[in-house]
Amino acid sequence: MRAYNHLKATLEQALASLELPVPEKMTIEPPRDKSFGDLATNAAMMLSKVAKKAPRKIAEDLKAVIEGMDTSIERIDVAGPGFLNFFFSDAFWRQTVVDIRERGEEYGRIDLGQGRRVQVEYVSANPTGPLHIGHGRGAAVGDSLARIMRAAGWEVSTEYYLNDAGRQMLILGKSIFCRYQQHFGADIELFENGYKGEYIMDLAKELADKHGKTLLDMAEDEAVSICREYGMAVILDGIKQDLQDFNVEHQVWFSERSLTEAGKVDETFDFLRKEGLAYDEDGALWFRSTDFKDDKNRVLRKSSGDLTYFASDIAYHDDKYKRGFDLVIDIWGADHHGYIQRMKAAVQALGKEADQLEVILVQLVNLLKGGEQIAMSTRAGKFETLADVVEEVGADSARFIFLSRKSDSKLDFDLDLVKEKSMDNPVYYVQYAHARICSVFRKAEELDIAIPAPGQADLSPLNTLEDQLLLRCLEQFPDAVQASAHTFSPHHISYYLRELAGLLHRYYSANKILTAGDDAVIAARLALIDSVRQALANGLGLLGVSAPESM
């Protein structure tokens, strides 16, 4: 990031001195072959027509100007048809250590969002049962993305959409009431689509303890309603506790039921009718989503009078935008892929741009134990809950593994591997890098070796290949933050952390630190690994994972 920004500013200044414009399609990026330099630009080739010169001649002119004005660039090569390849000086890279140690926890923060408001909605599971590991992956993605976007300069609000209305909640109430009746000896079977988990039986027993047989004497609708409300409240409390234990925060818990009770669904219908985007046909109310490139129009209210999920979702998103968010991010299961286009159509019907809604899909997690996959089904009651996984491997390990790959890629979660204290375990690999540095500092204190204050160390002894690799990687942490925020993909941070941890472990093996024999070298290397420690801690923090000082 610092190298890119520095070169961009230098190029703009050099172009101005040559009375040339900054090309609209100018690129500044690392060359594929690192031996060609730290960064390269195509600026000269983009200016050939404007300057009416051969690209190589423009490149030579730029080279001459920059060499006379910028001492942080050690060498410039003109290559091929007119590429400029730049090699930064060792002193430039060593400055990264100073920057990190002076900025501390702020290192990596950028201003991509420029204070714009974004809402991130994630998990939003029906309160019909405990969270499973699929929900856990979505929770980790959403919570980490919120952290990353805050670090990238956005004003972020996090939200859980509580599906407390509709058919699934009715099924929950009926399932609990059925088990309640069975508890008192009723000879009935659970209906085909009922929830079969043991937690349903537990809820029924709690109701029996609380109400005795009184529900049996009520009208069934009233009894089912009591069962539904009680079950939802208990399950929701469990969900909130599971998320808290998983280090996941939601600032807002938004009730679906509140939309209908406040008349917001009808308000949205009225708006769509007024805009000519909703119409009645065959007793149902339809949305003209084909006006916005959807493949067919969609039902909002069925002929039976029941609302579709889509109707509530439009009203919900209307409410989001009315709260002043510039961007709305929804995190959904991969099975909702076909739902994206109709929601983007709805957003446009509400007067927003399609790209003001970003949908992130989260693929399934295959939970492995003993080399075999564990089957999961919420309704059948056969699933490994998020709470079970967190209890077995810890929140840190679960979060890191969930974020170790792009969210729309399937993920194998090997419980046995994640519990290993070995370098094969990616969580251990990264956290141990941080703990290893802290161990060096403790040893330094025992030996009465002072760790130099930020900005005080002579960093010129950092001249080995291992030093340079670490310095270049450290400089790229803000780039990883920008890539994650720009693409809404937290896995860029986990990739970065594994690369940095790997370089640290190799550095530790190849270079003596406290026993280097030269006080200046010792001080410089302590400052370097302190900056590594800070970058690791900052990156782990963005993933919601702790940075332990000992392991």
Side-chain angles (χ1 to χ4, degrees), residues 433-447 449 451 504 508 513-514 522 525-526 529 549:
H434 184 273
R436 185 171 234 175
I437 295 169
C438 293
S439 176
V440 172
F441 292 162
R442 287 193 294 272
K443 186 67 175 176
E445 186 177 2
E446 292 173 10
L447 296 173
I449 298 174
I451 299 169
L504 182 281
Y508 187 86
I513 299 177
L514 299 179
I522 293 171
R525 289 180 177 176
L526 284 171
I529 65 169
E549 295 187 2

Side-chain angles (χ1 to χ4, degrees), residues 51 73 128 137 150 153 180 188 216 238 252 289 316 326 353 373 430 496 518:
I73 296 174
T128 54
R137 189 180 189 188
R150 288 188 183 110
Y180 172 89
I188 56 174
L216 298 176
V252 177
S289 51
Y316 177 41
D326 302 295
E353 298 296 326
Q373 184 174 337
V430 173
Y496 172 83
D518 182 295

Side-chain angles (χ1 to χ4, degrees), residues 119-132:
Q119 187 227 44
V120 187
E121 182 217 327
Y122 47 99
V123 187
S124 298
N126 293 336
T128 54
L131 298 179
H132 57 62

Side-chain angles (χ1 to χ4, degrees), residues 49-82:
K49 287 185 179 180
V50 174
K52 297 180 180 179
K53 291 182 181 179
R56 283 189 67 90
K57 177 63 173 74
I58 300 172
E60 292 290 353
D61 291 344
L62 279 169
K63 175 183 175 181
V65 171
I66 294 171
E67 284 178 338
M69 62 183 276
D70 195 336
T71 58
S72 64
I73 296 174
E74 187 174 80
R75 189 174 110 217
I76 306 172
D77 291 344
V78 177

Side-chain angles (χ1 to χ4, degrees), residues 2-21:
R2 188 169 65 91
Y4 172 90
N5 290 338
H6 182 90
L7 181 55
K8 183 173 182 290
T10 299
L11 279 168
E12 289 173 353
Q13 186 177 347
L15 287 166
S17 71
L18 293 171
E19 297 183 345
L20 291 171

Side-chain angles (χ1 to χ4, degrees), residues 198-453:
E198 286 188 16
Y199 69 98
I200 298 294
M201 296 182 185
D202 293 339
L203 290 167
K205 185 178 183 305
E206 290 169 17
L207 278 166
D209 292 341
K210 183 177 181 179
H211 294 282
K213 294 183 177 182
T214 57
L215 271 61
L216 298 176
D217 299 326
M218 296 180 183
E220 183 172 331
D221 286 351
E222 184 181 357
V224 167
S225 177
I226 291 172
C227 290
R228 181 187 66 231
E229 294 303 310
Y230 179 80
M232 181 182 71
V234 172
I235 292 169
L236 184 58
D237 284 345
I239 287 173
K240 289 182 176 180
Q241 185 62 55
D242 289 349
L243 291 172
Q244 181 179 320
D245 293 342
F246 197 42
N247 199 21
V248 168
E249 174 206 49
H250 287 92
Q251 295 167 310
V252 177
W253 293 75
F254 190 98
S255 163
E256 177 187 6
R257 194 184 300 175
S258 71
L259 290 171
T260 52
E261 290 176 350
K264 292 183 179 180
V265 176
D266 288 333
E267 285 179 18
T268 303
F269 288 174
D270 291 342
F271 172 80
L272 293 175
R273 285 182 188 277
K274 182 179 177 182
E275 296 296 314
L277 296 172
Y279 64 96
D280 294 295
E281 185 174 288
D282 299 328
L285 180 64
W286 295 73
F287 169 53
R288 295 187 188 278
S289 51
T290 52
D291 286 8
F292 304 96
K293 299 182 180 179
D294 195 9
D295 58 350
K296 61 181 180 180
N297 292 334
R298 306 290 177 173
V299 176
L300 298 174
R301 185 170 52 221
K302 302 175 186 177
S303 57
S304 64
D306 294 332
L307 295 176
T308 63
Y309 285 115
F310 185 44
S312 296
D313 285 341
I314 297 177
Y316 177 41
H317 283 74
D318 189 23
D319 182 83
K320 290 184 182 188
Y321 291 114
K322 285 176 178 175
R323 282 184 266 158
F325 294 111
D326 302 295
L327 173 65
V328 165
I329 300 175
D330 291 351
I331 297 176
W332 299 345
D335 56 337
H336 288 76
H337 180 271
Y339 204 72
I340 296 176
Q341 187 53 51
R342 76 185 71 172
M343 275 312 307
K344 284 191 172 284
V347 165
Q348 293 173 84
L350 295 171
K352 302 297 179 180
E353 298 296 326
D355 61 6
Q356 286 183 267
L357 171 67
E358 184 68 31
V359 177
I360 298 170
L361 297 178
V362 178
Q363 265 288 3
L364 296 173
V365 178
N366 295 319
L367 192 62
L368 306 175
K369 193 170 186 178
E372 295 185 1
Q373 184 174 337
I374 299 173
M376 292 181 290
S377 169
T378 305
R379 185 159 292 172
K382 299 177 181 178
F383 54 88
E384 196 78 21
T385 66
L386 174 62
D388 290 337
V389 173
V390 170
E391 183 178 0
E392 184 154 350
V393 304
D396 280 351
S397 294
R399 285 185 70 121
F400 195 95
I401 295 300
F402 285 144
L403 299 168
S404 63
R405 296 191 65 189
K406 198 168 185 295
S407 65
D408 61 1
S409 300
K410 287 187 178 180
L411 177 69
D412 288 334
F413 192 120
D414 190 328
L415 288 167
D416 298 323
L417 174 63
V418 176
K419 289 191 291 184
E420 285 184 10
K421 293 183 178 181
S422 75
M423 293 299 197
D424 292 329
N425 177 353
V427 191
Y428 183 87
Y429 188 70
V430 173
Q431 287 186 316
Y432 182 55
H434 184 273
R436 185 171 234 175
I437 295 169
C438 293
S439 176
V440 172
F441 292 162
R442 287 193 294 272
K443 186 67 175 176
E445 186 177 2
E446 292 173 10
L447 296 173
D448 202 25
I449 298 174
I451 299 169

